[in-house]
Amino acid sequence: MPRIRTPVRPGARSPSVIDSDPGRYENRLLLILFLAFGFVFFDRQALPFLAPLISKEIHLSNTELGTLSGVLALTWALSGLVAGRLSDKFGRRKPILIAAVVLFSCFSAAGGLMTGFLGLLIARALMGVAEEAVLPLAQSLMVEASRENRRGLNMGLLQGSSVAGAVE
């Protein structure tokens, strides 16, 4: 069966291109991912700054506060293996990223409602599981959406969004 060819005007864009500017999607994605990972990392670093207030209100020892930070780091590390494998297996990053951000937000809010160590420990552990998926998926999406001449800048800005949460 012969293919039907439609003449295309020189300089005409494909209907699959949503925006008239090819960098517009790239910039919007960078902004969204920058903010998403920035908020995630900011929340991860919030516990050490809030520790004096939290420990006073729900009577936590220094050991318990350290355990809360440690469980988040442990689940963060283990979850990265699973999140990366899932996104590679299914080949779909955006739905997993959206689910991770929503779950992270829910677990973070749940942590704020806890009145004891065990509840806060569980909320922080679950928060770490959801949180870790954000960075590798965001990086993969950004690499795919970036033009070759902007890839390094975009990745640097994305990763740099975590710096604001780490600065005292």
Side-chain angles (χ1 to χ4, degrees), residues 102-137:
V102 168
L103 287 172
F104 159 78
S105 301
C106 291
F107 296 140
S108 179
L113 298 174
M114 296 302 150
T115 58
F117 171 71
L118 185 59
L120 195 52
L121 182 71
I122 292 168
R124 297 281 293 176
L126 292 172
M127 194 173 90
V129 169
E131 190 175 349
E132 172 47 34
V134 175
L135 181 60
L137 296 175

Side-chain angles (χ1 to χ4, degrees), residues 40-112:
V40 163
F41 202 81
F42 178 77
D43 192 87
R44 179 181 181 177
Q45 298 300 321
L47 183 66
F49 295 106
L50 297 175
L53 301 171
I54 295 170
S55 64
K56 200 180 296 182
E57 187 172 319
I58 59 177
H59 311 291
L60 297 175
S61 69
N62 288 339
T63 302
E64 290 170 327
L65 287 169
T67 303
L68 291 173
S69 292
V71 75
L72 181 81
L74 178 64
T75 55
W76 170 290
L78 296 175
S79 175
L81 299 170
V82 176
R85 191 175 257 303
L86 279 176
S87 73
D88 289 344
K89 181 179 180 177
F90 296 122
R92 297 181 49 107
R93 290 174 178 82
K94 286 181 188 177
I96 297 172
L97 178 63
I98 291 168
V101 170
V102 168
L103 287 172
F104 159 78
S105 301
C106 291
F107 296 140
S108 179

Side-chain angles (χ1 to χ4, degrees), residues 140-158:
S140 295
L141 284 168
M142 199 68 252
V143 165
E144 291 171 357
S146 296
R147 290 169 286 169
E148 191 172 331
N149 65 333
R150 284 270 313 262
R151 191 169 294 138
L153 175 65
N154 290 346
M155 294 303 291
L157 289 171
L158 177 60

